[in-house]
Amino acid sequence: MTDLAFDAAFFAALLAASVRLAMPIAFAALGGVVAERSGVYNIALEGLILSGALAAAAGAHATSSPLIGLAAGLGAGAVGGLLVALLTVTFRVNQLVAGIAVNILCAGLTAFLARAVFGLTTSTQVPGFPTLDLGPLSDLPILGPALFAHDALTYVFVALCLLVAALLFLTPWGLALRATGENPRAADSAGLPVMRIRYLALMLSGMLAALGGCHLVLAQVHIFSDGMSAGKGFLALAAIILGRWHPAGVALAALFFGLCDALQFRLQFAIPGVPYQIFQILPYLVSIAALAWTVGRSRQPAAAGLIYVREQR
C-alpha cells in the first residue's frame, strides 16, 4: 500500500511538473500557429519569450503588481511582433533571417536592460501569481495536483487555446487569415487586406509568445536571468509542426515536451552518477526524433515562408 501511495504521489507530481514546464512552450507555440497560419514563420519566438520575461519582471518589480508585470510583458510582445512584421512584411526580409536577427537582438538587449533595471544581482525577487485553490478539485488523487493546482496563467492558456481555435476555424477573420497563409495573391484579389492581416497576426503572435516569458517569471521562478528561455522558443517551433498548426495539437505537443523536461529533472536526482548535461538534452533529442517521424505526415500553410509582393493596380 505504501509503495502504491508513493507511486501515485510521484506520478501526480510528475504530471503537475509537466503542465507547469509546458506552459512557456505552449504559449509560444500558440503564437506561432497564428503567425504561420497567416503565411509568416515567426522564428523569433525565443527572443519574444525573453522580452516578455524581462518586461514582466521589470513591471512587477517597479509596481509590486504581477498584473502590471503581465501588461508590460504583453506590451513588449506586441512591440516584438511589430518588429518582426516590419522586417518580414514591409521590408520583405527573408523570414528565417529576420527571426534569427530578432532573437539575437532580444538576447543582447534583455541582458543589457536587466542590468539597468536590477543591477548586477540576478536574485531580485518579483511578485507573481500564486497557485489557485480550487477546493475539492485540487484534492482529487493524481488529477487534482496535475490539473487543478496551478496558477491563473495556466488556466488563461486553456481559455486562449479555445479562443484561438474558435477564431481560426469559426469566424470570418480566421477564414481570411488562413486564406492569406494559403494563397495571399488570391486573398488579395478577393479584396482581403493581406498586409494588415499579417501585421495583426504577428502582433498577436508576439503577445502570446511573451505570455510564455510572463509565465516563466511570474508563475515559476519569480526572477529574471539572462537566457532564461533556454531554447523553449525553438521547442515551440517543433510543437507547431507536431501539432499540425492546430491550437489543440500544439497544446498536446507542448505537454509532451513538458513531460520530457520534468523527466530529465527527476533522472538527474535518480541517477546522480551520470553527468546532468546528458539528461538536459533529452527534450531536444525527443523533438528531433518527433520531427523526423512527422516528415511527410503533415502539411504547413502553403504560403508560409514565402515573400509576398503585392501587384500594383
Side-chain angles (χ1 to χ4, degrees), residues 46 49-50 53 106-108 110-111 114-115 216 224-232 284:
E46 180 81 1
I49 292 174
L50 266 180
C106 290
T110 53
R115 283 159 177 77
L216 270 176
F224 177 83
S225 60
D226 295 352
M228 67 184 303
S229 53
K232 290 178 174 58
Y284 306 99

Side-chain angles (χ1 to χ4, degrees), residues 26-180:
F27 276 117
L30 189 61
V33 167
V34 175
E36 294 194 21
R37 283 285 185 175
S38 75
V40 181
Y41 288 136
N42 191 355
I43 307 298
L45 295 176
E46 180 81 1
L48 293 169
I49 292 174
L50 266 180
S51 298
L54 175 62
H61 175 66
T63 63
S64 298
S65 169
L67 288 175
I68 298 299
L70 181 63
L74 288 171
V79 171
L82 184 62
L83 176 59
V84 175
L86 187 66
L87 291 173
T88 58
V89 179
T90 299
F91 295 124
R92 298 193 288 274
V93 177
N94 179 280
Q95 294 173 11
L96 299 179
V97 173
I100 292 171
V102 173
N103 282 333
I104 295 172
L105 173 65
C106 290
L109 193 59
T110 53
F112 170 77
L113 292 177
R115 283 159 177 77
V117 174
F118 301 112
L120 297 179
T121 179
T122 59
S123 58
T124 302
Q125 294 281 323
V126 299
F129 296 103
T131 300
L132 296 179
D133 183 7
L134 299 182
L137 291 176
S138 301
D139 298 327
L140 290 173
I142 300 180
L143 292 181
L147 301 179
F148 305 111
H150 295 284
D151 58 278
L153 285 181
T154 299
Y155 303 107
V156 167
F157 169 76
V158 176
L160 285 175
C161 194
L162 295 174
L163 177 61
V164 170
L167 286 174
L168 284 177
F169 301 108
L170 299 177
T171 66
W173 181 83
L175 179 61
L177 180 78
R178 289 184 287 120
T180 300

Side-chain angles (χ1 to χ4, degrees), residues 189-304:
S189 299
L192 296 176
V194 172
M195 309 283 273
R196 191 186 312 162
I197 288 172
R198 288 187 168 180
Y199 259 86
L200 180 58
L202 284 165
M203 290 181 69
L204 288 174
S205 177
M207 293 170 71
L208 287 168
L211 277 173
C214 293
H215 191 274
L216 270 176
V217 167
L218 300 177
Q220 292 191 26
V221 297
H222 301 285
I223 61 172
F224 177 83
S225 60
D226 295 352
M228 67 184 303
S229 53
K232 290 178 174 58
F234 299 111
L235 286 176
L237 292 172
I240 295 168
I241 300 171
L242 289 178
R244 301 191 177 188
W245 295 269
H246 192 286
V250 301
L252 291 175
L255 284 173
F256 174 64
F257 288 138
L259 175 61
C260 293
D261 209 8
L263 277 174
Q264 67 92 4
F265 279 120
R266 279 152 180 77
L267 287 173
Q268 289 182 36
F269 291 103
I271 314 175
V274 178
Y276 70 92
Q277 293 88 348
I278 293 178
F279 298 120
Q280 283 184 328
I281 66 174
L282 176 63
Y284 306 99
L285 287 177
V286 170
S287 69
I288 293 172
L291 289 175
W293 178 77
T294 60
V295 172
R297 298 172 182 264
S298 59
R299 186 189 71 84
Q300 67 177 8

